[in-house]
Amino acid sequence: MDIQYKAKAADGTIQTGTLVAESIQEARARLRKQGLFPQRIEQAQEASVSQSLTRTFSRRGIHKNDLLVLTSQLAILCQAGLDIAEAIAIVGEECPNPALHAVLIQIHTEIENGVCVSESLRPHVNVFGEAYIAAIAAGEASGSLSEVLDRLTELLEHEIQMSSTVKSVMMYPIVLCGILSLVVGALIFFVLPQFSKVFTGMGKTPPLQTRILIEVSSYLRSHVVVIAGAAAVFGMGIWRFTRTEIAARYWDNFLITSRLVRKPVRALMTGRSFRLLGTMLQSGIPLLEGIRLCRASVRNRVFRQLFDSMDHSVVGGGSIGVVLKESKLLPPGVSQMVGAAERTGSLGPVMVTVGKHFERDGEKRIREIAKLIEPCVVVVMGVIVCGVVMSVMLPLLDVTSTKQ
């Protein structure tokens, strides 16, 4: 289960985040092993009603595209020499999104009252995310907020582009499957009943396969309400099952281990997480904090274990390159590049470069899979439609030729 925590580090800093553990006791033990002293630990779903409502309404209507536009505008205004508070005020006044406009007004008010930018963003963590806020805090501390905003803009832009590419690649097979469903439905509910009347009017008994199709069509039409209700209940059951921890773990394991999709999935996950970690390191975030923020942003539970291992290695004074070399989740060549970057002190830029490479590789592999799926769907659709048409038309032609 997901555990939310607030803990104090040895240097006195307060850290908050989320980790996956079987129980609160296990979460507390893991935090202590990391040198953190827990102050508050609770299940993620145990947050108060007021907090849940605040998070819901702060996120509603605010999409990643809105965050990209906001970050880009702030970066440009800061480069022009404006103070961050003034830049937020200007962007907030011109913001067309009402929800984001309200968030920016609150942030500007807090900054005017003396709160630093990163702390004013923290109540809206569902909008900005932990990694975004941590990068802003690092930029404030180092005096390079403009550069950090530039990096965040590039990161958000690439994430949106990658998501759009994956969706567009998979859209064609999905549309073909939808067309196939519509064609089969039209044949069952509209075409087959008419041919059934034709055979009845001729007083001829159709062949076995034709009788089976006609009987199936008749049964579906006469029980359409019951079947639709059963399908709705089944779909609801499947949806509820997918929300359980067991289903999530099975799905995450399937994505990582399935022969069909494991290579593009591993490449995309490696690319996104490494690019995010590299961006945070370039922004001035310490390695250990960057690893924990990346782990919180990774949804796949199997892939999270890699960041757990990296966390334990760094806490123990070890190298992340060794952890990556021992992992079987990463594409070949990753550990050598990261290990060399650690030795030369250029981990941030190298992680970004590695991330870009594997994101492109994952995108290419997804396109290849989509190219294989498309003809398969077309062939299946043709076989089904052709089978139905031939099962009806050929007996009908035989009957008419016999009468002549």
Side-chain angles (χ1 to χ4, degrees), residues 44-85:
Q45 63 267 29
E46 291 178 357
S48 66
V49 175
S50 60
Q51 289 176 333
S52 300
L53 289 175
T54 300
R55 291 172 182 172
T56 300
F57 285 106
S58 65
R59 184 63 183 169
R60 183 177 297 170
I62 301 177
H63 304 286
K64 190 165 285 188
N65 283 317
D66 300 315
L67 188 58
L68 170 62
V69 173
L70 167 65
T71 309
S72 176
Q73 291 175 335
L74 290 178
I76 293 172
L77 292 174
C78 287
Q79 288 174 0
L82 292 181
D83 179 75
I84 183 64

mmCIF file of all heavy atoms in Angstrom, residues 44-85:
data_model
loop_
_atom_site.group_PDB
_atom_site.id
_atom_site.type_symbol
_atom_site.label_atom_id
_atom_site.label_comp_id
_atom_site.label_asym_id
_atom_site.label_seq_id
_atom_site.Cartn_x
_atom_site.Cartn_y
_atom_site.Cartn_z
ATOM 1 N N ALA A 44 -2.037 6.533 2.315
ATOM 2 C CA ALA A 44 -2.372 7.639 1.417
ATOM 3 C C ALA A 44 -3.858 7.925 1.413
ATOM 4 O O ALA A 44 -4.284 9.072 1.334
ATOM 5 C CB ALA A 44 -1.897 7.330 -0.006
ATOM 6 N N GLN A 45 -4.701 6.891 1.535
ATOM 7 C CA GLN A 45 -6.143 7.095 1.481
ATOM 8 C C GLN A 45 -6.716 7.588 2.801
ATOM 9 O O GLN A 45 -7.910 7.838 2.912
ATOM 10 C CB GLN A 45 -6.871 5.816 1.059
ATOM 11 C CG GLN A 45 -6.717 4.662 2.025
ATOM 12 C CD GLN A 45 -5.556 3.790 1.628
ATOM 13 O OE1 GLN A 45 -4.603 4.264 1.028
ATOM 14 N NE2 GLN A 45 -5.627 2.516 1.961
ATOM 15 N N GLU A 46 -5.883 7.694 3.845
ATOM 16 C CA GLU A 46 -6.371 8.120 5.137
ATOM 17 C C GLU A 46 -6.290 9.628 5.335
ATOM 18 O O GLU A 46 -6.473 10.135 6.429
ATOM 19 C CB GLU A 46 -5.576 7.421 6.245
ATOM 20 C CG GLU A 46 -5.861 5.934 6.311
ATOM 21 C CD GLU A 46 -5.041 5.258 7.379
ATOM 22 O OE1 GLU A 46 -4.223 5.968 8.017
ATOM 23 O OE2 GLU A 46 -5.202 4.056 7.589
ATOM 24 N N ALA A 47 -5.970 10.355 4.294
ATOM 25 C CA ALA A 47 -5.935 11.804 4.413
ATOM 26 C C ALA A 47 -7.323 12.335 4.745
ATOM 27 O O ALA A 47 -8.340 11.725 4.436
ATOM 28 C CB ALA A 47 -5.440 12.416 3.098
ATOM 29 N N SER A 48 -7.370 13.472 5.393
ATOM 30 C CA SER A 48 -8.645 14.032 5.820
ATOM 31 C C SER A 48 -9.502 14.423 4.637
ATOM 32 O O SER A 48 -9.016 14.591 3.526
ATOM 33 C CB SER A 48 -8.390 15.264 6.694
ATOM 34 O OG SER A 48 -7.799 16.281 5.916
ATOM 35 N N VAL A 49 -10.788 14.550 4.904
ATOM 36 C CA VAL A 49 -11.722 14.913 3.833
ATOM 37 C C VAL A 49 -11.372 16.279 3.261
ATOM 38 O O VAL A 49 -11.410 16.500 2.050
ATOM 39 C CB VAL A 49 -13.169 14.893 4.377
ATOM 40 C CG1 VAL A 49 -14.132 15.381 3.308
ATOM 41 C CG2 VAL A 49 -13.544 13.491 4.831
ATOM 42 N N SER A 50 -11.034 17.234 4.118
ATOM 43 C CA SER A 50 -10.708 18.579 3.640
ATOM 44 C C SER A 50 -9.470 18.559 2.760
ATOM 45 O O SER A 50 -9.410 19.249 1.734
ATOM 46 C CB SER A 50 -10.473 19.520 4.832
ATOM 47 O OG SER A 50 -9.390 19.054 5.626
ATOM 48 N N GLN A 51 -8.444 17.744 3.125
ATOM 49 C CA GLN A 51 -7.252 17.647 2.290
ATOM 50 C C GLN A 51 -7.586 17.024 0.946
ATOM 51 O O GLN A 51 -7.099 17.465 -0.093
ATOM 52 C CB GLN A 51 -6.196 16.801 3.007
ATOM 53 C CG GLN A 51 -5.573 17.508 4.208
ATOM 54 C CD GLN A 51 -4.601 16.600 4.932
ATOM 55 O OE1 GLN A 51 -4.721 15.381 4.895
ATOM 56 N NE2 GLN A 51 -3.654 17.190 5.604
ATOM 57 N N SER A 52 -8.426 15.992 0.975
ATOM 58 C CA SER A 52 -8.792 15.332 -0.283
ATOM 59 C C SER A 52 -9.533 16.281 -1.206
ATOM 60 O O SER A 52 -9.281 16.328 -2.411
ATOM 61 C CB SER A 52 -9.662 14.101 0.013
ATOM 62 O OG SER A 52 -8.964 13.188 0.816
ATOM 63 N N LEU A 53 -10.447 17.064 -0.636
ATOM 64 C CA LEU A 53 -11.187 18.021 -1.457
ATOM 65 C C LEU A 53 -10.260 19.081 -2.020
ATOM 66 O O LEU A 53 -10.375 19.475 -3.186
ATOM 67 C CB LEU A 53 -12.299 18.671 -0.625
ATOM 68 C CG LEU A 53 -13.483 17.756 -0.267
ATOM 69 C CD1 LEU A 53 -14.434 18.485 0.660
ATOM 70 C CD2 LEU A 53 -14.213 17.305 -1.519
ATOM 71 N N THR A 54 -9.321 19.552 -1.197
ATOM 72 C CA THR A 54 -8.382 20.567 -1.659
ATOM 73 C C THR A 54 -7.559 20.038 -2.821
ATOM 74 O O THR A 54 -7.376 20.721 -3.835
ATOM 75 C CB THR A 54 -7.450 20.991 -0.514
ATOM 76 O OG1 THR A 54 -8.246 21.513 0.543
ATOM 77 C CG2 THR A 54 -6.466 22.047 -0.989
ATOM 78 N N ARG A 55 -7.062 18.787 -2.695
ATOM 79 C CA ARG A 55 -6.261 18.210 -3.763
ATOM 80 C C ARG A 55 -7.086 18.018 -5.025
ATOM 81 O O ARG A 55 -6.623 18.257 -6.131
ATOM 82 C CB ARG A 55 -5.682 16.876 -3.302
ATOM 83 C CG ARG A 55 -4.626 17.037 -2.209
ATOM 84 C CD ARG A 55 -4.219 15.708 -1.649
ATOM 85 N NE ARG A 55 -3.257 15.858 -0.571
ATOM 86 C CZ ARG A 55 -2.852 14.871 0.202
ATOM 87 N NH1 ARG A 55 -3.353 13.665 0.040
ATOM 88 N NH2 ARG A 55 -1.965 15.083 1.159
ATOM 89 N N THR A 56 -8.330 17.565 -4.846
ATOM 90 C CA THR A 56 -9.181 17.319 -6.010
ATOM 91 C C THR A 56 -9.430 18.598 -6.783
ATOM 92 O O THR A 56 -9.278 18.656 -8.000
ATOM 93 C CB THR A 56 -10.519 16.701 -5.562
ATOM 94 O OG1 THR A 56 -10.249 15.475 -4.888
ATOM 95 C CG2 THR A 56 -11.404 16.438 -6.753
ATOM 96 N N PHE A 57 -9.815 19.658 -6.052
ATOM 97 C CA PHE A 57 -10.159 20.897 -6.745
ATOM 98 C C PHE A 57 -8.927 21.642 -7.241
ATOM 99 O O PHE A 57 -9.010 22.408 -8.192
ATOM 100 C CB PHE A 57 -10.990 21.798 -5.823
ATOM 101 C CG PHE A 57 -12.410 21.320 -5.662
ATOM 102 C CD1 PHE A 57 -12.836 20.719 -4.491
ATOM 103 C CD2 PHE A 57 -13.306 21.429 -6.701
ATOM 104 C CE1 PHE A 57 -14.135 20.272 -4.351
ATOM 105 C CE2 PHE A 57 -14.615 20.974 -6.577
ATOM 106 C CZ PHE A 57 -15.025 20.400 -5.392
ATOM 107 N N SER A 58 -7.766 21.430 -6.581
ATOM 108 C CA SER A 58 -6.569 22.103 -7.061
ATOM 109 C C SER A 58 -6.070 21.473 -8.359
ATOM 110 O O SER A 58 -5.389 22.120 -9.138
ATOM 111 C CB SER A 58 -5.451 22.021 -6.010
ATOM 112 O OG SER A 58 -5.037 20.685 -5.817
ATOM 113 N N ARG A 59 -6.405 20.196 -8.604
ATOM 114 C CA ARG A 59 -5.948 19.531 -9.808
ATOM 115 C C ARG A 59 -6.967 19.594 -10.931
ATOM 116 O O ARG A 59 -6.604 19.563 -12.109
ATOM 117 C CB ARG A 59 -5.646 18.056 -9.471
ATOM 118 C CG ARG A 59 -5.063 17.269 -10.635
ATOM 119 C CD ARG A 59 -3.740 17.822 -11.064
ATOM 120 N NE ARG A 59 -3.213 17.106 -12.217
ATOM 121 C CZ ARG A 59 -2.189 17.488 -12.921
ATOM 122 N NH1 ARG A 59 -1.557 18.594 -12.606
ATOM 123 N NH2 ARG A 59 -1.774 16.803 -13.957
ATOM 124 N N ARG A 60 -8.252 19.708 -10.577
ATOM 125 C CA ARG A 60 -9.309 19.638 -11.581
ATOM 126 C C ARG A 60 -9.147 20.756 -12.606
ATOM 127 O O ARG A 60 -9.047 21.926 -12.266
ATOM 128 C CB ARG A 60 -10.670 19.731 -10.907
ATOM 129 C CG ARG A 60 -11.840 19.603 -11.856
ATOM 130 C CD ARG A 60 -13.144 19.623 -11.094
ATOM 131 N NE ARG A 60 -13.248 18.481 -10.179
ATOM 132 C CZ ARG A 60 -14.199 18.373 -9.272
ATOM 133 N NH1 ARG A 60 -15.100 19.328 -9.136
ATOM 134 N NH2 ARG A 60 -14.243 17.320 -8.484
ATOM 135 N N GLY A 61 -9.140 20.403 -13.871
ATOM 136 C CA GLY A 61 -9.088 21.389 -14.937
ATOM 137 C C GLY A 61 -7.694 21.900 -15.230
ATOM 138 O O GLY A 61 -7.528 22.772 -16.083
ATOM 139 N N ILE A 62 -6.662 21.406 -14.536
ATOM 140 C CA ILE A 62 -5.287 21.836 -14.783
ATOM 141 C C ILE A 62 -4.526 20.647 -15.364
ATOM 142 O O ILE A 62 -4.333 19.634 -14.706
ATOM 143 C CB ILE A 62 -4.607 22.323 -13.488
ATOM 144 C CG1 ILE A 62 -5.397 23.480 -12.884
ATOM 145 C CG2 ILE A 62 -3.174 22.758 -13.776
ATOM 146 C CD1 ILE A 62 -4.848 23.974 -11.565
ATOM 147 N N HIS A 63 -4.098 20.796 -16.609
ATOM 148 C CA HIS A 63 -3.429 19.712 -17.300
ATOM 149 C C HIS A 63 -1.948 20.030 -17.469
ATOM 150 O O HIS A 63 -1.497 21.155 -17.208
ATOM 151 C CB HIS A 63 -4.083 19.478 -18.662
ATOM 152 C CG HIS A 63 -5.558 19.208 -18.574
ATOM 153 N ND1 HIS A 63 -6.065 18.009 -18.122
ATOM 154 C CD2 HIS A 63 -6.626 19.991 -18.857
ATOM 155 C CE1 HIS A 63 -7.386 18.059 -18.138
ATOM 156 N NE2 HIS A 63 -7.743 19.250 -18.581
ATOM 157 N N LYS A 64 -1.205 19.034 -17.927
ATOM 158 C CA LYS A 64 0.238 19.216 -18.083
ATOM 159 C C LYS A 64 0.556 20.272 -19.131
ATOM 160 O O LYS A 64 1.578 20.968 -19.037
ATOM 161 C CB LYS A 64 0.873 17.875 -18.451
ATOM 162 C CG LYS A 64 2.392 17.892 -18.401
ATOM 163 C CD LYS A 64 2.991 16.502 -18.398
ATOM 164 C CE LYS A 64 2.819 15.833 -17.055
ATOM 165 N NZ LYS A 64 3.566 14.556 -16.957
ATOM 166 N N ASN A 65 -0.308 20.424 -20.128
ATOM 167 C CA ASN A 65 -0.096 21.490 -21.117
ATOM 168 C C ASN A 65 -0.156 22.867 -20.468
ATOM 169 O O ASN A 65 0.607 23.774 -20.830
ATOM 170 C CB ASN A 65 -1.140 21.393 -22.232
ATOM 171 C CG ASN A 65 -0.838 20.287 -23.216
ATOM 172 O OD1 ASN A 65 0.300 20.111 -23.629
ATOM 173 N ND2 ASN A 65 -1.841 19.512 -23.589
ATOM 174 N N ASP A 66 -1.097 23.033 -19.515
ATOM 175 C CA ASP A 66 -1.179 24.304 -18.794
ATOM 176 C C ASP A 66 0.093 24.561 -17.996
ATOM 177 O O ASP A 66 0.597 25.690 -17.945
ATOM 178 C CB ASP A 66 -2.390 24.302 -17.845
ATOM 179 C CG ASP A 66 -3.694 24.106 -18.582
ATOM 180 O OD1 ASP A 66 -3.886 24.752 -19.630
ATOM 181 O OD2 ASP A 66 -4.528 23.299 -18.134
ATOM 182 N N LEU A 67 0.614 23.506 -17.368
ATOM 183 C CA LEU A 67 1.848 23.651 -16.593
ATOM 184 C C LEU A 67 3.031 23.972 -17.498
ATOM 185 O O LEU A 67 3.914 24.759 -17.121
ATOM 186 C CB LEU A 67 2.110 22.355 -15.813
ATOM 187 C CG LEU A 67 3.252 22.380 -14.802
ATOM 188 C CD1 LEU A 67 3.042 23.470 -13.767
ATOM 189 C CD2 LEU A 67 3.385 21.019 -14.129
ATOM 190 N N LEU A 68 3.059 23.401 -18.694
ATOM 191 C CA LEU A 68 4.122 23.697 -19.651
ATOM 192 C C LEU A 68 4.098 25.170 -20.060
ATOM 193 O O LEU A 68 5.138 25.848 -20.069
ATOM 194 C CB LEU A 68 3.985 22.800 -20.877
ATOM 195 C CG LEU A 68 4.881 23.144 -22.079
ATOM 196 C CD1 LEU A 68 6.343 23.025 -21.700
ATOM 197 C CD2 LEU A 68 4.556 22.245 -23.267
ATOM 198 N N VAL A 69 2.909 25.669 -20.394
ATOM 199 C CA VAL A 69 2.788 27.076 -20.801
ATOM 200 C C VAL A 69 3.203 27.995 -19.657
ATOM 201 O O VAL A 69 3.930 28.980 -19.856
ATOM 202 C CB VAL A 69 1.338 27.375 -21.250
ATOM 203 C CG1 VAL A 69 1.156 28.865 -21.510
ATOM 204 C CG2 VAL A 69 0.999 26.573 -22.501
ATOM 205 N N LEU A 70 2.753 27.679 -18.442
ATOM 206 C CA LEU A 70 3.106 28.486 -17.277
ATOM 207 C C LEU A 70 4.614 28.527 -17.065
ATOM 208 O O LEU A 70 5.202 29.604 -16.890
ATOM 209 C CB LEU A 70 2.419 27.903 -16.041
ATOM 210 C CG LEU A 70 2.898 28.420 -14.683
ATOM 211 C CD1 LEU A 70 2.578 29.899 -14.529
ATOM 212 C CD2 LEU A 70 2.294 27.608 -13.542
ATOM 213 N N THR A 71 5.262 27.358 -17.085
ATOM 214 C CA THR A 71 6.705 27.291 -16.843
ATOM 215 C C THR A 71 7.476 28.024 -17.926
ATOM 216 O O THR A 71 8.454 28.730 -17.637
ATOM 217 C CB THR A 71 7.147 25.823 -16.777
ATOM 218 O OG1 THR A 71 6.322 25.108 -15.855
ATOM 219 C CG2 THR A 71 8.585 25.713 -16.318
ATOM 220 N N SER A 72 7.046 27.858 -19.163
ATOM 221 C CA SER A 72 7.709 28.544 -20.271
ATOM 222 C C SER A 72 7.599 30.061 -20.121
ATOM 223 O O SER A 72 8.588 30.795 -20.313
ATOM 224 C CB SER A 72 7.097 28.091 -21.592
ATOM 225 O OG SER A 72 7.641 28.798 -22.668
ATOM 226 N N GLN A 73 6.421 30.558 -19.775
ATOM 227 C CA GLN A 73 6.242 32.000 -19.602
ATOM 228 C C GLN A 73 7.069 32.540 -18.436
ATOM 229 O O GLN A 73 7.678 33.611 -18.536
ATOM 230 C CB GLN A 73 4.761 32.306 -19.386
ATOM 231 C CG GLN A 73 3.903 32.090 -20.617
ATOM 232 C CD GLN A 73 2.423 32.285 -20.326
ATOM 233 O OE1 GLN A 73 1.969 32.127 -19.197
ATOM 234 N NE2 GLN A 73 1.652 32.610 -21.365
ATOM 235 N N LEU A 74 7.107 31.791 -17.339
ATOM 236 C CA LEU A 74 7.912 32.229 -16.190
ATOM 237 C C LEU A 74 9.398 32.264 -16.547
ATOM 238 O O LEU A 74 10.116 33.183 -16.129
ATOM 239 C CB LEU A 74 7.676 31.287 -15.008
ATOM 240 C CG LEU A 74 6.306 31.342 -14.338
ATOM 241 C CD1 LEU A 74 6.215 30.311 -13.228
ATOM 242 C CD2 LEU A 74 6.019 32.740 -13.796
ATOM 243 N N ALA A 75 9.863 31.270 -17.306
ATOM 244 C CA ALA A 75 11.272 31.249 -17.711
ATOM 245 C C ALA A 75 11.611 32.458 -18.573
ATOM 246 O O ALA A 75 12.653 33.108 -18.379
ATOM 247 C CB ALA A 75 11.570 29.956 -18.473
ATOM 248 N N ILE A 76 10.735 32.805 -19.504
ATOM 249 C CA ILE A 76 10.986 33.950 -20.390
ATOM 250 C C ILE A 76 10.989 35.251 -19.590
ATOM 251 O O ILE A 76 11.869 36.109 -19.768
ATOM 252 C CB ILE A 76 9.927 33.996 -21.501
ATOM 253 C CG1 ILE A 76 10.085 32.784 -22.424
ATOM 254 C CG2 ILE A 76 10.030 35.289 -22.296
ATOM 255 C CD1 ILE A 76 8.972 32.628 -23.434
ATOM 256 N N LEU A 77 10.023 35.404 -18.692
ATOM 257 C CA LEU A 77 9.939 36.634 -17.896
ATOM 258 C C LEU A 77 11.134 36.774 -16.954
ATOM 259 O O LEU A 77 11.650 37.887 -16.753
ATOM 260 C CB LEU A 77 8.631 36.658 -17.109
ATOM 261 C CG LEU A 77 7.356 36.802 -17.942
ATOM 262 C CD1 LEU A 77 6.114 36.670 -17.067
ATOM 263 C CD2 LEU A 77 7.342 38.158 -18.659
ATOM 264 N N CYS A 78 11.587 35.664 -16.385
ATOM 265 C CA CYS A 78 12.761 35.723 -15.498
ATOM 266 C C CYS A 78 14.029 36.052 -16.296
ATOM 267 O O CYS A 78 14.893 36.792 -15.815
ATOM 268 C CB CYS A 78 12.926 34.405 -14.753
ATOM 269 S SG CYS A 78 11.704 34.122 -13.458
ATOM 270 N N GLN A 79 14.126 35.502 -17.503
ATOM 271 C CA GLN A 79 15.263 35.840 -18.348
ATOM 272 C C GLN A 79 15.251 37.308 -18.749
ATOM 273 O O GLN A 79 16.303 37.913 -18.984
ATOM 274 C CB GLN A 79 15.256 34.957 -19.595
ATOM 275 C CG GLN A 79 15.632 33.506 -19.333
ATOM 276 C CD GLN A 79 15.485 32.634 -20.560
ATOM 277 O OE1 GLN A 79 15.092 33.108 -21.630
ATOM 278 N NE2 GLN A 79 15.787 31.352 -20.412
ATOM 279 N N ALA A 80 14.053 37.891 -18.823
ATOM 280 C CA ALA A 80 13.928 39.318 -19.162
ATOM 281 C C ALA A 80 14.279 40.225 -17.989
ATOM 282 O O ALA A 80 14.278 41.451 -18.138
ATOM 283 C CB ALA A 80 12.516 39.613 -19.638
ATOM 284 N N GLY A 81 14.560 39.633 -16.816
ATOM 285 C CA GLY A 81 14.982 40.416 -15.670
ATOM 286 C C GLY A 81 13.915 40.682 -14.633
ATOM 287 O O GLY A 81 14.169 41.399 -13.663
ATOM 288 N N LEU A 82 12.729 40.112 -14.792
ATOM 289 C CA LEU A 82 11.668 40.337 -13.821
ATOM 290 C C LEU A 82 11.865 39.454 -12.597
ATOM 291 O O LEU A 82 12.412 38.349 -12.684
ATOM 292 C CB LEU A 82 10.301 40.040 -14.441
ATOM 293 C CG LEU A 82 9.814 40.983 -15.549
ATOM 294 C CD1 LEU A 82 8.436 40.541 -16.013
ATOM 295 C CD2 LEU A 82 9.767 42.415 -15.070
ATOM 296 N N ASP A 83 11.409 39.945 -11.454
ATOM 297 C CA ASP A 83 11.404 39.151 -10.245
ATOM 298 C C ASP A 83 10.364 38.038 -10.380
ATOM 299 O O ASP A 83 9.342 38.206 -11.041
ATOM 300 C CB ASP A 83 11.078 40.040 -9.043
ATOM 301 C CG ASP A 83 11.041 39.260 -7.747
ATOM 302 O OD1 ASP A 83 12.119 38.907 -7.242
ATOM 303 O OD2 ASP A 83 9.929 38.998 -7.257
ATOM 304 N N ILE A 84 10.602 36.878 -9.726
ATOM 305 C CA ILE A 84 9.711 35.736 -9.861
ATOM 306 C C ILE A 84 8.300 36.062 -9.370
ATOM 307 O O ILE A 84 7.309 35.624 -9.960
ATOM 308 C CB ILE A 84 10.283 34.499 -9.104
ATOM 309 C CG1 ILE A 84 9.386 33.271 -9.314
ATOM 310 C CG2 ILE A 84 10.457 34.799 -7.633
ATOM 311 C CD1 ILE A 84 9.298 32.797 -10.718
ATOM 312 N N ALA A 85 8.201 36.874 -8.309
ATOM 313 C CA ALA A 85 6.872 37.246 -7.802
ATOM 314 C C ALA A 85 6.114 38.070 -8.836
ATOM 315 O O ALA A 85 4.922 37.853 -9.080
ATOM 316 C CB ALA A 85 7.008 38.021 -6.502
#
